[in-house]
Amino acid sequence: MSLADSDRELVVEELGREPTPAEAALFENLWSEHCAYRSSRPLLSAFDSEGERVVVGPGDDAAVVALPDPKTGESGDTYVTLGIESHNHPSYVDPFDGAATGVGGIVRDTLSMGAYPIALADSLYFGEFDREHSRYLLEGVVEGISHYGNCIGVPTVAGSVDFHPDYEGNPLVNVACVGLTDEERLVTAVAQEPGNKLVLVGNATGRDGLGGASFASEDLAEDAETEDRPAVQVGDPYAEKLLIEANEVLVEESLVESARDLGAAGLGGASSELVAKGGLGAEIELERVHQREPNMNALEILLAESQERMCYEVEPGNVDRVREIAERFDLGCSVIGEVTDGNYTCTFNGDTVVDVDAEFLGEGAPMNDLPAEEPTQPETDLPDADLEEVFETVVSSPNTASKRWVYRQYDHEVGVRTSVGPGDDAAIVAIREAETGLAISSGAAPNWTSTAPYEGARAIALENATNVAAKGATPLAAVDCLNGGNPEKPDVYGGFTAIVDGLAEMCAELSTPVVGGNVSLYNDSVAGPIPPTPTLALVGTKAGYDAPPLSVEPEGTLLLAGDRGLEDDEFRLGGSEFLAQFDGSDRFPALPEEPAALVETVADVANAGSTLAVHDVSHGGLAVALAEMITETAGLEVTVPVDDPTGALFHEQPGRALIQTDDPDAVREAFDGVAPIRELGTATADGRLTVRDADGELFGVDAAAVADWRAIIERELR
């Protein structure tokens, strides 16, 4: 990939001359889709990113949100940072290093805000599970995430794994990170003062990852796994752990004026963006950068994406102390230049190789005006299938099956904050500094958004909000990773536009500001484009750290809240795992009329003393949710008194929750006027799920059989 002719003309007009090779490469990378969001930025204004809790919104390395005081509800002085990134193309070319360095990058985004990383969430998307190549990618990606996260001591507590045929040629690896900071520790990526020094701390610079930003801004070629390997960075988690601890000391001693991690476009990207945000410039001497390879030229030093590096703005009087701390943690340290009030300039051995206006470099890329075809929903074509066969097939599908094989490889308890770990509707980490439980949910639903991008994206936002509500938490804020195919294709761009609008609309309805995010386009290959995939990482808060379990107790009444289909006896099965497995099609289900009130009520009921268990109903429908709730010592007897039990059991309308309670009248009263509530049955002590309709038993299964069906991933990959 090289600088497009139209872009080169703009650069020549601005500079009044031809760009140098280093300048041309800088513009190529910083004006790429990956960095400049040329096709998506015009759409992102749809998101509401403001709110009384929002301290730092979109545009920085990570967002910052104030936690509410659990006693008063007012914003407290404890902050969490939220960030999310994609490492999709690198993870196809080199699954281990691609995924590992995705973790490293989002953790450094957290560090640059003056925060300490406390939790990770990964959302992963692969081709069909029965394909050998999909399993190869899955195993490599999970190994990379677990290796890096475990080595740096940051728990991976939440996430999702989805399989869909359209990811076969281009998997997605989306990683979110939550950090902890406060007002005094807060750092931003806005340069503060001319005369301050720019200090590079961390690993030495090599040639790995050259052109990574531009590589991420084009379709994957058939030979990408071999030809594009040099564009993939190689991570060193042990160096990252040292960097985490060194950064903590630098922040505690107030030695950092501003910071930026070195990610896309390497030193050139980080340093130019840092000064551009402050309306300033820089003078950088590239030969002063500590290097690990001989004879590196200016362009390589400027654009290499070697990992585990941070760029700090430091007052001159504090430089020696920064160097001492770096040496204490066995990290390299280079004073590479200083902040100025002029252009962004780089010299190499006395020769000027870059001399441009930093703001033009960072913000001058023209936006794309692309045609978009509005998506259409499919016609109804429902398969005729045996109900017991459908139940076993859907429960044992890799999409709805247990993801224990994945998350058991992650250390989700390191840091001793994890109260509810992976495998539940949402994780909870203890923010003891604020006496607050922070619930975390992350994921998307490719079946939903491939069927109906707009409606599916609305559903994804509601689904993540219901997940945290099921643990008794109220949504606080979210970040998104918007993944799409080649935006130059009108149908692809139409689907992408729809997921942006749908996600933005539902988050606004839920009063959940989208405070940051990432866009990844050109996820296209010879196999075709990916489904439009809006990963949402959403956090909520609650007083304390306890939550109702997902599994039922041996006694109590089971209620279903929020199911519009049961109320009307009319079900839409579009986007369901049932139709994906049995080759059918249908329109997407209608969502609850009052989603915000529904989520709030679910959270209130989850915190009630009479509540025994709560479980969100989503992928796989009611049947899968019921199967997930039973154990060897606690079963369920339920009745679905409708004419269409298949529709009732397998439609996937989000915004539903199963609630086991000792006080069903109190739950009905709580949902009165908010959402429909239906009593399904009672718990038993026999560890068996029995499902009936008005005419008698439809099917029954014990917990051991369910566990065996749901263990398909672990069984196939052991």
Side-chain angles (χ1 to χ4, degrees):
M1 190 173 178
S2 59
L3 191 61
D5 290 343
S6 58
D7 290 346
R8 179 175 286 272
E9 290 174 5
L10 289 174
V11 171
V12 169
E13 181 180 354
E14 171 71 17
L15 300 182
R17 56 175 172 79
E18 286 290 326
T20 67
E23 288 170 340
L26 258 185
F27 278 107
E28 173 198 334
N29 280 269
L30 292 179
W31 283 19
S32 67
E33 185 68 49
H34 182 75
C35 291
Y37 291 5
R38 298 175 65 160
S39 301
S40 59
R41 188 177 295 185
L43 308 176
L44 300 182
S45 61
F47 288 106
D48 183 357
S49 302
E50 298 180 351
E52 62 175 321
R53 313 275 191 228
V54 181
V55 179
V56 177
D60 219 308
D61 277 353
V64 182
V65 183
L67 295 179
D69 186 300
K71 297 183 178 65
T72 67
E74 300 296 323
S75 294
D77 54 10
T78 301
Y79 299 164
V80 292
T81 63
L82 306 175
I84 190 168
E85 281 288 351
S86 61
H87 239 221
N88 303 335
H89 284 33
S91 297
Y92 177 81
V93 174
D94 182 346
F96 179 89
D97 284 313
T101 51
V103 173
I106 195 61
V107 167
R108 290 193 305 279
D109 284 343
T110 302
L111 302 184
S112 69
M113 307 305 296
Y116 196 88
I118 60 170
L120 292 163
D122 57 64
S123 295
L124 313 175
Y125 309 86
F126 302 98
E128 291 183 290
F129 181 70
D130 60 4
R131 298 289 297 272
E132 182 179 351
H133 191 247
S134 298
R135 296 189 189 190
Y136 155 75
L137 293 172
L138 169 65
E139 290 178 308
V141 164
V142 171
E143 185 182 2
I145 291 171
S146 64
H147 173 70
Y148 207 100
N150 293 353
C151 287
I152 63 175
V154 181
T156 302
V157 299
S160 61
V161 182
D162 287 276
F163 302 94
H164 189 284
D166 291 344
Y167 296 116
E168 177 62 31
N170 198 133
L172 303 183
V173 175
N174 296 171
V175 183
C177 184
V178 176
L180 189 62
T181 189
D182 56 41
E183 184 176 5
E184 291 185 0
R185 292 167 47 94
L186 181 62
V187 176
T188 69
V190 180
Q192 300 294 307
E193 191 73 33
N196 285 343
K197 300 299 182 180
L198 293 175
V199 183
L200 188 63
V201 175
N203 262 347
T205 298
R207 292 185 171 92
D208 50 321
L210 279 167
S214 56
F215 160 59
S217 303
E218 56 188 355
D219 294 344
L220 280 171
E222 193 167 7
D223 59 358
E225 288 177 284
T226 54
E227 293 301 310
D228 290 319
R229 192 166 292 272
V232 180
Q233 309 91 335
V234 178
D236 179 356
Y238 301 106
E240 181 103 342
K241 177 59 175 174
L242 295 172
L243 192 58
I244 290 171
E245 301 307 326
N247 187 81
E248 185 73 359
V249 177
L250 295 173
V251 170
E252 287 288 348
E253 295 189 14
S254 301
L255 299 173
V256 177
E257 303 305 310
S258 66
R260 193 95 187 183
D261 90 289
L262 272 68
L267 174 61
S271 58
S272 65
E273 290 170 349
L274 186 76
V275 297
K277 286 181 175 295
L280 298 168
E283 293 177 355
I284 294 174
E285 298 174 61
L286 294 174
E287 70 276 6
R288 300 179 70 174
V289 172
H290 53 288
Q291 303 161 42
R292 70 168 182 264
E293 296 187 40
N295 304 316
M296 291 186 69
N297 61 38
L299 191 150
E300 291 170 334
I301 296 170
L302 194 63
L303 287 176
E305 295 184 7
S306 303
Q307 296 293 285
E308 295 85 39
R309 299 181 298 163
M310 298 286 292
C311 182
Y312 296 113
E313 178 192 5
V314 179
E315 291 183 354
N318 290 331
V319 168
D320 288 343
R321 178 57 181 155
V322 171
R323 184 180 286 111
E324 288 175 6
I325 293 168
E327 290 176 355
R328 170 181 153 195
F329 286 94
D330 200 24
L331 295 169
C333 180
S334 303
V335 182
I336 60 173
E338 65 179 41
V339 179
T340 70
D341 55 8
N343 271 1
Y344 175 76
T345 64
C346 299
T347 60
F348 185 62
N349 294 329
D351 296 328
T352 300
V353 295
V354 175
D355 186 359
V356 299
D357 178 78
E359 186 174 2
F360 178 69
L361 179 61
E363 301 293 334
M367 296 297 104
N368 295 331
D369 184 11
L370 300 174
E373 292 180 5
E374 186 173 344
T376 58
Q377 287 209 26
E379 299 296 325
T380 298
D381 181 15
L382 301 180
D384 184 14
D386 176 74
L387 188 61
E388 288 191 70
E389 179 189 2
V390 172
F391 179 69
E392 181 176 350
T393 300
V394 172
V395 170
S396 61
S397 164
N399 275 328
T400 58
S402 169
K403 305 306 187 295
R404 182 179 179 275
W405 180 88
V406 175
Y407 62 73
R408 72 180 176 86
Q409 299 184 52
Y410 305 149
D411 187 343
H412 56 266
E413 295 181 340
V414 63
V416 295
R417 290 184 181 272
T418 308
S419 174
V420 176
D424 212 311
D425 289 329
I428 296 181
V429 293
I431 312 297
R432 300 182 187 88
E433 295 81 353
E435 300 180 346
T436 295
L438 188 75
I440 306 170
S441 174
S442 178
N447 282 344
W448 296 358
T449 46
S450 60
T451 298
Y454 171 77
E455 292 83 357
R458 280 174 48 83
I460 286 167
L462 179 56
E463 155 74 0
N464 280 281
T466 310
N467 279 338
V468 302
K471 300 296 100 180
T474 302
L476 176 69
V479 290
D480 58 30
C481 192
L482 304 171
N483 306 272
N486 187 332
E488 298 164 45
K489 300 176 180 179
D491 60 330
V492 171
Y493 195 59
F496 183 80
T497 301
I499 64 170
V500 171
D501 290 343
L503 201 67
E505 183 179 294
M506 180 55 75
C507 286
E509 289 185 37
L510 296 171
S511 299
T512 304
V514 180
V515 293
N518 176 68
V519 176
S520 176
L521 295 175
Y522 291 96
N523 292 293
D524 219 323
S525 67
V526 292
I530 64 161
T533 310
T535 298
L536 193 72
L538 185 147
V539 299
T541 57
K542 64 177 301 178
Y545 325 121
D546 296 330
L550 178 154
S551 302
V552 293
E553 298 290 333
E555 55 186 24
T557 302
L558 187 70
L559 303 174
L560 174 62
D563 196 315
R564 295 187 62 177
L566 275 181
E567 198 71 5
D568 303 332
D569 201 6
E570 181 179 353
F571 305 98
R572 296 179 182 175
L573 286 155
S576 66
E577 188 64 22
F578 163 53
L579 293 188
Q581 292 292 328
F582 289 88
D583 298 321
S585 61
D586 197 6
R587 294 180 63 82
F588 196 76
L591 302 188
E593 295 180 352
E594 300 289 341
L598 170 67
V599 168
E600 182 179 357
T601 305
V602 170
D604 288 342
V605 169
N607 288 321
S610 56
T611 297
L612 304 175
V614 181
H615 187 20
D616 161 72
V617 181
S618 58
H619 307 306
L622 177 61
V624 169
L626 291 168
E628 290 172 333
M629 294 185 81
I630 65 170
T631 69
E632 291 184 358
T633 57
L636 288 168
E637 291 184 354
V638 302
T639 301
V640 284
V642 292
D643 295 333
D644 178 13
T646 301
L649 289 167
F650 296 102
H651 82 96
E652 295 189 13
Q653 175 223 308
R656 293 180 290 164
L658 286 164
I659 301 164
Q660 186 192 25
T661 178
D662 281 337
D663 191 351
D665 289 339
V667 177
R668 292 189 187 93
E669 183 178 350
F671 281 96
D672 185 32
V674 173
I677 191 87
R678 180 73 66 95
E679 182 172 330
L680 293 185
T682 57
T684 67
D686 61 2
R688 184 174 179 81
L689 173 63
T690 303
V691 180
R692 300 184 175 89
D693 67 3
D695 297 325
E697 183 172 324
L698 296 170
F699 59 83
V701 63
D702 60 34
V706 169
D708 183 62
W709 294 345
R710 300 192 69 240
I712 181 171
I713 295 176
E714 193 162 16
R715 186 166 55 248
E716 293 294 323
L717 295 180
R718 68 165 53 122

mmCIF file of all heavy atoms in Angstrom, residues 229-249:
data_model
loop_
_atom_site.group_PDB
_atom_site.id
_atom_site.type_symbol
_atom_site.label_atom_id
_atom_site.label_comp_id
_atom_site.label_asym_id
_atom_site.label_seq_id
_atom_site.Cartn_x
_atom_site.Cartn_y
_atom_site.Cartn_z
ATOM 1 N N ARG A 229 3.385 -11.352 7.077
ATOM 2 C CA ARG A 229 3.911 -11.659 8.404
ATOM 3 C C ARG A 229 4.831 -10.563 8.954
ATOM 4 O O ARG A 229 4.813 -10.276 10.155
ATOM 5 C CB ARG A 229 4.633 -13.006 8.392
ATOM 6 C CG ARG A 229 4.972 -13.537 9.775
ATOM 7 C CD ARG A 229 5.367 -14.992 9.711
ATOM 8 N NE ARG A 229 4.231 -15.829 9.354
ATOM 9 C CZ ARG A 229 3.372 -16.349 10.225
ATOM 10 N NH1 ARG A 229 3.522 -16.087 11.511
ATOM 11 N NH2 ARG A 229 2.381 -17.112 9.832
ATOM 12 N N PRO A 230 5.657 -9.879 8.126
ATOM 13 C CA PRO A 230 6.497 -8.809 8.684
ATOM 14 C C PRO A 230 5.705 -7.645 9.279
ATOM 15 O O PRO A 230 6.256 -6.872 10.065
ATOM 16 C CB PRO A 230 7.327 -8.342 7.478
ATOM 17 C CG PRO A 230 7.348 -9.517 6.553
ATOM 18 C CD PRO A 230 6.007 -10.162 6.711
ATOM 19 N N ALA A 231 4.422 -7.492 8.919
ATOM 20 C CA ALA A 231 3.615 -6.399 9.461
ATOM 21 C C ALA A 231 3.056 -6.717 10.838
ATOM 22 O O ALA A 231 2.424 -5.861 11.466
ATOM 23 C CB ALA A 231 2.462 -6.071 8.506
ATOM 24 N N VAL A 232 3.252 -7.948 11.318
ATOM 25 C CA VAL A 232 2.733 -8.353 12.620
ATOM 26 C C VAL A 232 3.817 -8.149 13.678
ATOM 27 O O VAL A 232 4.949 -8.609 13.529
ATOM 28 C CB VAL A 232 2.282 -9.825 12.599
ATOM 29 C CG1 VAL A 232 1.745 -10.228 13.975
ATOM 30 C CG2 VAL A 232 1.213 -10.028 11.529
ATOM 31 N N GLN A 233 3.440 -7.483 14.765
ATOM 32 C CA GLN A 233 4.383 -7.212 15.843
ATOM 33 C C GLN A 233 4.611 -8.471 16.687
ATOM 34 O O GLN A 233 3.794 -9.389 16.680
ATOM 35 C CB GLN A 233 3.850 -6.099 16.749
ATOM 36 C CG GLN A 233 3.412 -4.856 16.017
ATOM 37 C CD GLN A 233 1.941 -4.877 15.633
ATOM 38 O OE1 GLN A 233 1.340 -5.928 15.488
ATOM 39 N NE2 GLN A 233 1.373 -3.701 15.464
ATOM 40 N N VAL A 234 5.708 -8.493 17.408
ATOM 41 C CA VAL A 234 6.033 -9.581 18.320
ATOM 42 C C VAL A 234 6.056 -9.019 19.739
ATOM 43 O O VAL A 234 6.741 -8.030 20.008
ATOM 44 C CB VAL A 234 7.390 -10.220 17.974
ATOM 45 C CG1 VAL A 234 7.734 -11.317 18.975
ATOM 46 C CG2 VAL A 234 7.362 -10.773 16.551
ATOM 47 N N GLY A 235 5.297 -9.627 20.620
ATOM 48 C CA GLY A 235 5.155 -9.087 21.970
ATOM 49 C C GLY A 235 6.104 -9.714 22.973
ATOM 50 O O GLY A 235 6.589 -10.831 22.791
ATOM 51 N N ASP A 236 6.346 -8.997 24.044
ATOM 52 C CA ASP A 236 7.153 -9.467 25.175
ATOM 53 C C ASP A 236 6.406 -9.094 26.449
ATOM 54 O O ASP A 236 6.564 -8.001 26.986
ATOM 55 C CB ASP A 236 8.539 -8.813 25.144
ATOM 56 C CG ASP A 236 9.420 -9.244 26.314
ATOM 57 O OD1 ASP A 236 8.937 -9.994 27.186
ATOM 58 O OD2 ASP A 236 10.585 -8.815 26.360
ATOM 59 N N PRO A 237 5.556 -10.000 26.962
ATOM 60 C CA PRO A 237 4.727 -9.636 28.117
ATOM 61 C C PRO A 237 5.528 -9.328 29.368
ATOM 62 O O PRO A 237 5.076 -8.567 30.224
ATOM 63 C CB PRO A 237 3.837 -10.868 28.319
ATOM 64 C CG PRO A 237 4.571 -11.990 27.666
ATOM 65 C CD PRO A 237 5.296 -11.373 26.509
ATOM 66 N N TYR A 238 6.719 -9.913 29.501
ATOM 67 C CA TYR A 238 7.519 -9.638 30.693
ATOM 68 C C TYR A 238 8.021 -8.197 30.682
ATOM 69 O O TYR A 238 8.072 -7.531 31.726
ATOM 70 C CB TYR A 238 8.667 -10.638 30.779
ATOM 71 C CG TYR A 238 8.163 -12.064 30.844
ATOM 72 C CD1 TYR A 238 8.270 -12.906 29.747
ATOM 73 C CD2 TYR A 238 7.545 -12.546 31.993
ATOM 74 C CE1 TYR A 238 7.772 -14.208 29.794
ATOM 75 C CE2 TYR A 238 7.046 -13.840 32.051
ATOM 76 C CZ TYR A 238 7.163 -14.667 30.943
ATOM 77 O OH TYR A 238 6.656 -15.945 30.998
ATOM 78 N N ALA A 239 8.365 -7.689 29.486
ATOM 79 C CA ALA A 239 8.723 -6.276 29.378
ATOM 80 C C ALA A 239 7.503 -5.398 29.653
ATOM 81 O O ALA A 239 7.612 -4.333 30.266
ATOM 82 C CB ALA A 239 9.289 -5.980 27.993
ATOM 83 N N GLU A 240 6.328 -5.849 29.220
ATOM 84 C CA GLU A 240 5.109 -5.071 29.473
ATOM 85 C C GLU A 240 4.814 -4.997 30.968
ATOM 86 O O GLU A 240 4.388 -3.957 31.470
ATOM 87 C CB GLU A 240 3.920 -5.687 28.740
ATOM 88 C CG GLU A 240 2.627 -4.940 28.931
ATOM 89 C CD GLU A 240 2.233 -4.082 27.747
ATOM 90 O OE1 GLU A 240 3.092 -3.787 26.906
ATOM 91 O OE2 GLU A 240 1.064 -3.698 27.660
ATOM 92 N N LYS A 241 5.029 -6.101 31.677
ATOM 93 C CA LYS A 241 4.804 -6.088 33.125
ATOM 94 C C LYS A 241 5.723 -5.072 33.795
ATOM 95 O O LYS A 241 5.301 -4.317 34.685
ATOM 96 C CB LYS A 241 5.038 -7.488 33.702
ATOM 97 C CG LYS A 241 4.892 -7.564 35.222
ATOM 98 C CD LYS A 241 3.505 -7.140 35.697
ATOM 99 C CE LYS A 241 3.342 -7.351 37.188
ATOM 100 N NZ LYS A 241 2.052 -6.811 37.681
ATOM 101 N N LEU A 242 6.979 -5.034 33.375
ATOM 102 C CA LEU A 242 7.903 -4.032 33.916
ATOM 103 C C LEU A 242 7.437 -2.623 33.578
ATOM 104 O O LEU A 242 7.523 -1.709 34.408
ATOM 105 C CB LEU A 242 9.307 -4.271 33.368
ATOM 106 C CG LEU A 242 9.991 -5.580 33.788
ATOM 107 C CD1 LEU A 242 11.283 -5.774 33.012
ATOM 108 C CD2 LEU A 242 10.254 -5.597 35.287
ATOM 109 N N LEU A 243 6.920 -2.449 32.361
ATOM 110 C CA LEU A 243 6.429 -1.138 31.945
ATOM 111 C C LEU A 243 5.211 -0.719 32.767
ATOM 112 O O LEU A 243 5.065 0.451 33.139
ATOM 113 C CB LEU A 243 6.088 -1.177 30.453
ATOM 114 C CG LEU A 243 5.819 0.154 29.750
ATOM 115 C CD1 LEU A 243 6.997 1.102 29.862
ATOM 116 C CD2 LEU A 243 5.471 -0.086 28.279
ATOM 117 N N ILE A 244 4.334 -1.672 33.065
ATOM 118 C CA ILE A 244 3.161 -1.377 33.901
ATOM 119 C C ILE A 244 3.603 -0.839 35.269
ATOM 120 O O ILE A 244 3.092 0.178 35.755
ATOM 121 C CB ILE A 244 2.294 -2.643 34.083
ATOM 122 C CG1 ILE A 244 1.607 -3.022 32.764
ATOM 123 C CG2 ILE A 244 1.245 -2.431 35.177
ATOM 124 C CD1 ILE A 244 0.924 -4.381 32.811
ATOM 125 N N GLU A 245 4.551 -1.518 35.871
ATOM 126 C CA GLU A 245 4.979 -1.122 37.213
ATOM 127 C C GLU A 245 5.783 0.179 37.175
ATOM 128 O O GLU A 245 5.661 1.018 38.078
ATOM 129 C CB GLU A 245 5.789 -2.243 37.853
ATOM 130 C CG GLU A 245 5.031 -3.563 37.989
ATOM 131 C CD GLU A 245 3.695 -3.420 38.696
ATOM 132 O OE1 GLU A 245 3.580 -2.582 39.616
ATOM 133 O OE2 GLU A 245 2.747 -4.140 38.324
ATOM 134 N N ALA A 246 6.611 0.362 36.148
ATOM 135 C CA ALA A 246 7.349 1.622 36.017
ATOM 136 C C ALA A 246 6.397 2.786 35.799
ATOM 137 O O ALA A 246 6.556 3.867 36.398
ATOM 138 C CB ALA A 246 8.344 1.532 34.857
ATOM 139 N N ASN A 247 5.382 2.567 34.970
ATOM 140 C CA ASN A 247 4.391 3.612 34.713
ATOM 141 C C ASN A 247 3.680 4.005 36.001
ATOM 142 O O ASN A 247 3.397 5.184 36.249
ATOM 143 C CB ASN A 247 3.381 3.119 33.675
ATOM 144 C CG ASN A 247 2.423 4.189 33.216
ATOM 145 O OD1 ASN A 247 2.733 5.007 32.364
ATOM 146 N ND2 ASN A 247 1.209 4.193 33.768
ATOM 147 N N GLU A 248 3.414 3.011 36.852
ATOM 148 C CA GLU A 248 2.744 3.281 38.122
ATOM 149 C C GLU A 248 3.588 4.216 38.986
ATOM 150 O O GLU A 248 3.077 5.151 39.611
ATOM 151 C CB GLU A 248 2.477 1.958 38.843
ATOM 152 C CG GLU A 248 1.674 2.087 40.125
ATOM 153 C CD GLU A 248 0.204 2.395 39.894
ATOM 154 O OE1 GLU A 248 -0.211 2.527 38.719
ATOM 155 O OE2 GLU A 248 -0.527 2.526 40.889
ATOM 156 N N VAL A 249 4.887 3.980 39.026
ATOM 157 C CA VAL A 249 5.771 4.847 39.817
ATOM 158 C C VAL A 249 5.829 6.245 39.208
ATOM 159 O O VAL A 249 5.760 7.256 39.932
ATOM 160 C CB VAL A 249 7.183 4.235 39.905
ATOM 161 C CG1 VAL A 249 8.119 5.174 40.659
ATOM 162 C CG2 VAL A 249 7.139 2.882 40.597
#
